[in-house]
Amino acid sequence: MPLTDKFGRPITDLRISITDRCNYKCVYCRTGNEGALYGDLPFDDYLRMARVLVGMGVTKIRLTGGEPLLRNGVVNFVRNLAQLRTPNNGHRGRDEYPLDIALTTNGHLLADLAQPLKDAGLTRVTVSMDAVDPDRFARITRVPNGYDHVLAGIRAARRAGLWPLKVNCVLMRGFNEDQIIPFGMFAREEGVTVRFIEFMPLEEGRTWSPTTVVTLDEILERMAEYRPLVEIPHARSETARRYRFDDGVGEIGIIAPVSHPFCGHCSRIRITSDGKIRTCLFSVWDHDLHAQMQRGASDEELEDFIHGVIQKKEERHHIGEPDFVPASRTMVHIGG
Ligand code: SAM
């Protein structure tokens, strides 16, 4: 049977954070401190968790962090994940097909790793980039000279055939809302899909307020001043609304969890770098899968544990509502 939560949502999408260290200190994410709070696990432990979950119906795994490319051995880990086969429709052993393995990275170390990752079995990559102007980029990431590395990483990923190639930009008022049109031009020139993400209250500095969010409507309005957009139909489980420019050149997406929540179609769970399952970005607790492994649980016992956890998946987030309770971890320590 496919893994389904109590609201009937199939759980097919797993995100694994392989470290909560990051070499960038983006203003909308981190306070500027150096550290990892929770540490990470040996790759074999993540591999076992992935194998069990794939056997239960997960068809897509995204590696994230912190910054996942900081972790030595990531290429080998992808190679091992690529050996896992997903059973079709829950019928184990029949019509197996390969996993979709994706990566979210800030791109700083991607130029040298794109081809080895592709050769190891990575399917596609999403690069986070919050400005197309190098000085603004440095101000947001708080790292000098990162822009050239990231651009080289994006181009290397394209050459390696890591496709579709997406560039994610978190918009935060006062920092980069003037980058909307330049990113539209960037999408057309570089042949990548640029996706704007609404800023969510998951930052270490607790600076979020509704007024800091640049909303989907505002992004569309601004981009239309540059060129008309045409909406592309998208799958219900897709987080992004998709648009192409009227002349067919260039695609953008908008991920709008604040102004247009998509919790009703959420198919995701996350494993943190220290081996906890999180059923929602905004969960106020996590579920210690790694502790189960440490106490010697069999694969069947892990499946039972996971089934129980999935039934606790939250119906929706409560961003902006009076009863909103901040998540128990910030984004860098969850894995976005
Ligand atoms: N280091 C990698 C990267 O930069 O893509 C992976 C981890 S990062 C936490 C994953 C994604 O979360 C990035 O696209 C980042 O921009 C986004 N992100 C971080 N904090 C966010 C926030 N408060 N609201 C919305 N997106 C956020």
Side-chain angles (χ1 to χ4, degrees), residues 140-286:
I140 292 172
T141 56
R142 295 187 274 205
V143 168
N145 308 323
Y147 183 81
D148 291 343
H149 290 275
V150 176
L151 195 56
I154 290 172
R155 290 175 175 167
R158 195 179 48 202
R159 276 196 304 278
L162 287 164
W163 200 260
L165 182 52
K166 294 175 185 159
V167 170
N168 277 359
C169 165
V170 176
L171 289 172
M172 188 181 177
R173 197 172 307 286
F175 278 94
N176 60 352
E177 73 266 43
D178 64 343
Q179 297 287 293
I180 294 172
I181 291 178
F183 263 119
M185 295 173 177
F186 184 84
R188 289 161 66 81
E189 283 158 15
E190 294 289 329
V192 298
T193 301
V194 171
R195 302 190 314 170
F196 299 102
I197 308 179
E198 288 179 349
F199 178 40
M200 293 180 277
L202 286 165
E203 75 294 6
E204 287 183 331
R206 302 291 185 210
T207 48
W208 187 93
S209 78
T211 58
T212 58
V213 182
V214 183
T215 63
L216 176 139
D217 291 346
E218 197 175 334
I219 297 165
L220 287 177
E221 207 172 296
R222 197 71 227 276
M223 196 63 95
E225 290 168 15
Y226 165 53
R227 274 203 87 96
L229 290 168
V230 180
E231 188 158 8
I232 305 171
H234 65 283
R236 277 152 66 96
S237 60
E238 265 184 274
T239 51
R241 293 176 181 226
R242 299 170 57 197
Y243 306 84
R244 62 173 173 76
F245 289 101
D246 61 334
D247 62 354
V249 181
E251 179 177 330
I252 68 156
I254 304 179
I255 302 175
V258 180
S259 68
H260 295 73
F262 38 82
C263 306
H265 306 295
C266 180
S267 55
R268 279 171 292 284
I269 58 167
R270 292 175 164 79
I271 292 179
T272 62
S273 60
D274 56 338
K276 311 277 196 331
I277 299 176
R278 287 183 71 89
T279 47
C280 173
L281 272 175
F282 293 93
S283 292
V284 291
W285 50 70
D286 23 59

Side-chain angles (χ1 to χ4, degrees), residues 28-29 64-67 104-106 128 170 198-200 202 331 336:
Y28 57 83
C29 186
T64 181
E67 172 46 42
T104 301
T105 171
N106 61 29
S128 305
V170 176
E198 288 179 349
F199 178 40
M200 293 180 277
L202 286 165
M331 186 69 115

Side-chain angles (χ1 to χ4, degrees), residues 94-109:
R94 280 182 34 203
D95 301 330
E96 293 178 332
Y97 56 93
L99 264 188
D100 179 11
I101 307 172
L103 171 82
T104 301
T105 171
N106 61 29
H108 193 89
L109 299 171

